Amino acid sequence: MSDNSSFVLRGGIAFSESINNIVTYYRGYLVCVDGICQGAFSELPEKYKDLPLYDYGERLIIPGMTDLHVHAPQYTFRGIGMDCELLEWLNTYTFPEEAKYQDIVYARKAYSFFTYDLMRCFTTRAVVFGTLHHEATLELMNQLEETGLITYVGKVNMDRNGGEHLQEADAKASLEATVKWLDTIKGKFQNTMPILTPRFIPSCSDELMKGLGQLSKEKGLRIQSHLSENLSEVAWVKELVPQSSCYANAYELFDTMGTPECPTIMAHCVHSDEMEMDILKKHGAFIAHCADSNMNLTSGIAPIKKFIDAGVNIGLGTDVAAGSSMNMLKTMLITLQASKMYYRLVDQSVKPLTFEEVFYLATAGGGKYFGQVGTFKPGYDFDAVVIDDSKMFTMRDMSIRERIERMCYNDADAIIKDKYVKGKKMFSSMVV
Ligand code: GUN
Ligand code: FE
């Protein structure tokens, strides 16, 4: 119990005990042994008294957050071109930008901005889209490995509808490029795992989708993609795969919906109905709910409360650059606001999400994709973010629970002090 990933942190601790309950400790103790959380305590148990103790005083300590869906190559154009809906936005802004990652010098610089900022936000785990380019994706993985974050990264597959600059020649070329990428990275990384990444059905021929489904099975590789984000996209998929009963079934027909042991992540599911919900649940898939993106591209509001009640796996994604920021607190806030408007304007039988539920989705909900991740229960990986909220002046005595809610509604004043992933401190701020 003496290596540097065994220690005790002291501070204002908050974590989800269940989706409806946040447990807090004022000036409590949080114990990490060999990178694994041993629990949170009001009094430090005798057996941990010899571990080094770092006292964070009045600061908050919460579990690291999981960004279940983010596009690394889109980071540098976030916040512009937001008056479009999905398909126009992809063709006008996104595909021309991603085409630039053919140039490794461009990719290296742009990805350095992405990784630099990802280290400095609330995220400790992320599932990331790259581009279709081999070298640029290796560069992204190399940079992410350096950060100490734990991630899945995908070389994107697309063999149709990308225009002449962002498209692989055909299914065979795309599959070969994927195998080459997998062979190149084999055994190279500890914290950066590959994930198969068919962009979405409009970008991938039937043959390519089937090939990826097979590759996933052969190699036990997970898959990420997009599902039912936008109404024009949903209608297009119906034309492209006429034999499918719905968009989720189209993925199912190609064997890309995964299994509970090898779960697929589907971003969005804004327009998913009961039938799609059943398919997602049957396969143990994860929904990456991306409320900021869904607002920006006028996609709609996903009925997340219904999915939770049905027992579907859910986490949150920033979906940069359709989402304009990698700040998970902002994503939490928009998730809350969107669910309130869904209740008010769409369906009053679907109650708004509570703060407890959204805090859970950002931490334990998405964390589940990585295993025992996202809370401070014993046995979970020790991913923690220490936050200084002393700049949020108040006249009140605030509970820890109030302070974490306030931090979500006033994200600009929540400053990250330190960040730990699996017990390793991978970021420390000089500012606070
Ligand atoms: N669907 C296919 N590609 C994309 C993308 O890059 N962003 C979003 N939001 N949706 C997509
Ligand atoms: Fe996306």
Side-chain angles (χ1 to χ4, degrees):
M1 292 214 304
S2 58
D3 71 281
N4 65 5
S5 59
S6 299
F7 51 80
V8 181
L9 305 185
R10 190 166 189 209
I13 298 163
F15 61 97
S16 294
E17 198 218 8
S18 69
I19 192 161
N20 294 312
N21 189 24
I22 297 174
V23 180
T24 64
Y25 293 82
Y26 176 67
R27 305 266 300 129
Y29 299 87
L30 193 58
V31 178
C32 174
V33 172
D34 292 335
I36 304 297
C37 186
Q38 307 299 305
F41 309 92
S42 311
E43 300 294 331
L44 185 62
E46 197 57 42
K47 62 178 171 177
Y48 302 125
K49 290 246 157 93
D50 291 337
L51 291 176
L53 185 148
Y54 305 103
D55 192 342
Y56 283 109
E58 292 297 319
R59 292 180 177 124
L60 298 166
I61 309 173
I62 63 169
M65 295 187 178
T66 292
D67 187 342
L68 264 194
H69 183 74
V70 58
H71 296 260
Q74 298 174 16
Y75 187 61
T76 54
F77 81 98
R78 67 199 180 284
I80 55 169
M82 304 262 74
D83 288 341
C84 304
E85 289 197 27
L86 175 67
L87 300 176
E88 186 190 358
W89 175 78
L90 287 173
N91 288 323
T92 312
Y93 293 95
T94 312
F95 291 171
E97 177 62 28
E98 289 194 15
K100 295 180 189 166
Y101 286 71
Q102 171 71 30
D103 174 359
I104 189 64
V105 176
Y106 185 90
R108 185 169 296 129
K109 185 166 179 188
Y111 280 149
S112 74
F113 296 138
F114 169 77
T115 49
Y116 183 90
D117 284 355
L118 192 61
M119 279 180 77
R120 284 158 180 76
C121 65
F122 296 85
T123 303
T124 48
R125 313 255 172 166
V127 187
V128 184
F129 271 59
T131 60
L132 57 77
H133 308 102
H134 179 84
E135 273 198 71
T137 307
L138 291 182
E139 175 63 26
L140 173 61
M141 296 179 90
N142 277 322
Q143 290 194 21
L144 283 169
E145 183 75 6
E146 288 282 301
T147 64
L149 296 163
I150 298 181
T151 61
Y152 282 89
V153 176
K155 184 208 98 63
V156 173
N157 295 94
M158 23 192 329
D159 69 343
R160 65 179 177 188
N161 298 314
E164 62 175 309
H165 300 297
L166 195 70
Q167 196 169 297
E168 294 161 302
D170 52 27
K172 186 164 171 285
S174 181
L175 290 166
E176 280 173 5
T178 306
V179 171
K180 177 180 158 199
W181 165 61
L182 293 168
D183 286 345
T184 311
I185 60 164
K186 199 175 262 171
K188 215 166 167 245
F189 303 116
Q190 229 186 327
N191 290 330
T192 317
M193 282 85 68
I195 180 167
L196 298 177
T197 305
R199 180 172 211 118
F200 66 159
I201 282 180
S203 297
C204 301
S205 64
D206 293 9
E207 191 186 341
L208 176 54
M209 289 302 294
K210 279 188 206 147
L212 290 169
Q214 214 175 330
L215 196 59
S216 160
K217 270 199 180 154
E218 273 168 27
K219 297 194 182 263
L221 286 165
R222 297 182 181 197
I223 295 175
Q224 62 177 346
S225 197
H226 296 89
L227 175 63
S228 296
E229 175 178 4
N230 165 285
L231 290 172
S232 306
E233 171 211 15
V234 173
W236 193 12
V237 171
K238 186 72 211 158
E239 278 172 32
L240 291 167
V241 193
Q243 71 277 29
S244 59
S245 54
C246 62
Y247 195 162
N249 175 243
Y251 283 115
E252 226 180 1
L253 293 175
F254 300 128
D255 252 341
T256 52
M257 254 301 173
T259 62
E261 296 72 40
C262 187
T264 291
I265 296 178
M266 284 296 171
H268 305 299
C269 305
V270 172
H271 301 288
S272 295
D273 59 9
E274 309 277 312
M275 191 198 292
E276 290 211 333
M277 196 161 77
D278 288 347
I279 292 173
L280 290 159
K281 188 167 176 194
K282 185 172 96 193
H283 289 266
F286 279 69
I287 294 175
H289 174 46
C290 307
D292 186 16
S293 160
N294 299 156
M295 293 286 170
N296 290 334
L297 296 184
T298 329
S299 300
I301 303 174
I304 293 305
K305 183 76 173 173
K306 280 195 207 169
F307 299 149
I308 292 175
D309 290 347
V312 183
N313 292 314
I314 304 176
L316 303 184
T318 60
D319 194 26
V320 159
S324 54
S325 153
M326 288 201 290
N327 183 346
M328 287 290 288
L329 292 181
K330 183 179 173 199
T331 299
M332 285 171 64
L333 175 57
I334 297 174
T335 299
L336 281 159
Q337 292 173 333
S339 82
K340 290 174 187 182
M341 288 305 107
Y342 189 89
Y343 164 73
R344 180 61 61 209
L345 301 175
V346 182
D347 184 348
Q348 297 207 6
S349 73
V350 182
K351 288 269 170 285
L353 294 169
T354 63
F355 181 75
E356 269 71 10
E357 287 170 326
V358 173
F359 184 74
Y360 174 92
L361 295 182
T363 54
K368 189 176 167 195
Y369 182 76
F370 286 83
Q372 301 259 88
V373 173
T375 94
F376 292 143
K377 290 185 202 171
Y380 277 66
D381 286 0
F382 194 94
D383 289 12
V385 182
V386 182
I387 298 154
D388 186 305
D389 65 348
S390 59
K391 297 290 183 292
M392 275 186 248
F393 303 117
T394 179
M395 298 299 286
R396 298 172 67 116
D397 271 340
M398 290 229 179
S399 67
I400 302 294
R401 162 67 178 74
E402 285 173 322
R403 285 168 60 196
I404 59 164
E405 181 176 0
R406 181 181 67 156
M407 151 187 111
C408 167
Y409 280 84
N410 299 276
D411 61 77
D413 292 324
I415 299 166
I416 296 173
K417 167 66 190 149
D418 286 337
K419 194 157 106 171
Y420 297 82
V421 179
K422 242 181 173 172
K424 292 214 170 68
K425 194 196 283 191
M426 45 72 61
F427 171 72
S428 189
S429 167
M430 299 297 146
V431 180
V432 288

